Amino acid sequence: MKKSFLIFTFIFLIWSNACISQNIVLSDLTDFVKKDVPTINEILLTKGWEYLQTRGGNIDKISTWAYEMSADSTAKAWLKVESNPKYLNIIILQFFNNSTYTKLLNSIKALGAKKIHSEVDDDGKILSRFTGKIYVYELSTLGNRHKLVVFNSENFMKSLLEGLEEAGAKLDTIKDTN
């Protein structure tokens, strides 16, 4: 009995380490949507991530971290935070581990998020968009390159409305010139 328990525990530990080799889970990413960049940095540093830079102007900024970055500037994963005081953060995780992709997909589904869109784009990338009560998740894959984008549902609706308003304004301009 003890032997089978130890074997099960050993297999579970190996599996969980392989699935989340970047030492980050979905709940971390959703928490980052509401946190400021210095707080996110503190959390990521304790998980073995390296802060690289923040770029942008006074309003829109993109902060970047790498997980296990090598001398040739490749990394096992990249995390970007797009911040704007007008919206909650947008979190972008890029990674190259198929088991992490599966683990994140299963976590999204376990939260009860519903798939609202899926497609294969012209480059062959598979994109799936899920929405839950609070967050929208965009999960994409092309070969072993995976990306998860997490943002607040309210931000998603605001950006859609702003896009429609801009399109309407452009259409009005076109009508006025004709």
Side-chain angles (χ1 to χ4, degrees):
M1 181 72 168
K2 285 184 180 182
K3 189 174 182 178
S4 63
F5 176 76
L6 288 174
I7 291 171
F8 172 79
T9 304
F10 179 73
I11 290 171
F12 176 77
L13 289 174
I14 290 173
W15 176 79
S16 62
N17 187 41
C19 285
I20 306 296
S21 62
Q22 288 83 29
N23 201 15
I24 200 161
V25 293
L26 188 61
S27 61
D28 292 326
L29 301 174
T30 56
D31 286 346
F32 293 165
V33 169
K34 299 171 274 184
K35 294 194 182 304
D36 61 24
V37 168
T39 302
I40 294 169
N41 186 54
E42 289 173 16
I43 294 165
L44 288 173
L45 289 176
T46 64
K47 293 177 175 273
W49 289 74
E50 178 183 348
Y51 173 72
L52 299 177
Q53 66 184 357
T54 296
R55 288 189 179 181
N58 293 332
I59 298 176
D60 292 319
K61 295 184 187 246
I62 299 176
S63 302
T64 306
W65 290 262
Y67 186 77
E68 293 188 12
M69 189 165 76
S70 64
D72 64 353
S73 296
T74 59
K76 287 190 176 182
W78 303 92
L79 186 112
K80 294 183 180 187
V81 175
E82 293 183 11
S83 54
N84 178 319
K86 194 170 154 182
Y87 301 108
L88 293 173
N89 295 333
I90 297 172
I91 309 302
I92 303 163
L93 176 66
Q94 296 172 307
F95 55 98
F96 308 94
N97 182 314
N98 291 332
S99 60
T100 299
Y101 177 90
T102 302
K103 179 76 172 178
L104 289 168
L105 176 61
N106 289 339
S107 296
I108 291 166
K109 290 179 177 180
L111 291 173
K114 304 289 183 221
K115 186 185 288 189
I116 59 171
H117 177 78
S118 61
E119 69 176 302
V120 178
D121 71 10
D122 293 340
D123 296 327
K125 178 174 65 177
I126 298 171
L127 170 73
S128 298
R129 185 175 295 135
F130 300 83
T131 186
K133 292 179 183 176
I134 301 173
Y135 300 105
V136 175
Y137 310 93
E138 287 184 355
L139 195 55
S140 62
T141 185
L142 179 62
N144 72 338
R145 294 183 322 214
H146 310 291
K147 181 165 72 170
L148 174 63
V149 181
V150 180
F151 49 97
N152 180 276
S153 298
E154 189 175 315
N155 287 2
F156 180 65
M157 295 309 293
K158 283 181 185 176
S159 67
L160 283 178
L161 290 173
E162 286 177 0
L164 290 172
E165 288 172 2
E166 287 177 22
K170 288 178 183 176
L171 185 59
D172 289 341
T173 303
I174 291 169
K175 285 181 184 176
D176 291 342
T177 59
N178 288 331

